[in-house]
């Protein structure tokens, strides 16, 4: 699948990815991404720039594991967001 970059709301991004079979919430498995980043690749990236409110900035990643699991990871974009997994995703292969 070709990497897709989109600008949309988080809700729309989650719906579109869910419709494409990305059903796992990888935020629940954040430690797996941190400890084994090579087991994941980014398939799609959706960005919400928080046009009306900077606190609403977020990136939704469509991720696939080496085991064929497809899901999403939502990373906040504000200065308050300091998720280690979100930082690890910067180094994950984009497919």
């Amino acid at each position: 699948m070709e990497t897709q970059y989109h600008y949309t709301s988080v809700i729309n991004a989650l719906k579109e990815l869910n419709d494409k079979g990305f059903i796992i919430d990888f935020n629940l498995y954040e430690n797996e991404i941190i400890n084994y980043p090579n087991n994941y690749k980014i398939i799609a990236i959706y960005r919400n720039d928080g046009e009306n409110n900077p606190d609403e900035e977020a990136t939704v990643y469509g991720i696939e594991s080496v085991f064929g699991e497809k899901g999403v990871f939502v990373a906040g974009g504000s200065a308050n967001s300091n998720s280690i997994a979100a930082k690890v995703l910067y180094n994950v292969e984009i497919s």
Side-chain angles (χ1 to χ4, degrees):
M1 176 183 272
E2 181 179 313
T3 302
Q4 302 171 12
Y5 298 91
H6 304 278
Y7 290 87
T8 188
S9 71
V10 172
I11 291 172
N12 286 341
L14 292 173
K15 180 175 178 352
E16 285 182 33
L17 286 168
N18 187 275
D19 290 347
K20 294 178 181 178
F22 291 81
I23 57 173
I24 296 171
D25 181 354
F26 280 120
N27 286 82
L28 299 174
Y29 303 99
E30 186 170 346
N31 286 334
E32 288 293 314
I33 293 171
I34 293 167
N35 294 324
Y36 305 103
N38 292 333
N39 285 350
Y40 301 92
K41 62 182 174 181
I42 297 170
I43 304 298
I45 300 172
Y46 291 75
R47 178 114 171 101
N48 178 3
D49 287 334
E51 191 172 294
N52 296 326
N53 182 349
D55 287 339
E56 295 175 358
E57 286 183 21
T59 303
V60 178
Y61 297 93
I63 298 174
E64 185 173 359
S65 78
V66 295
F67 307 107
E69 302 164 319
K70 291 168 54 173
V72 297
F73 186 91
V74 181
S78 70
N80 299 341
S81 177
N82 52 355
S83 164
I84 295 171
K87 292 174 184 165
V88 168
L89 285 173
Y90 285 120
N91 297 317
V92 170
E93 173 188 349
I94 297 176
S95 179

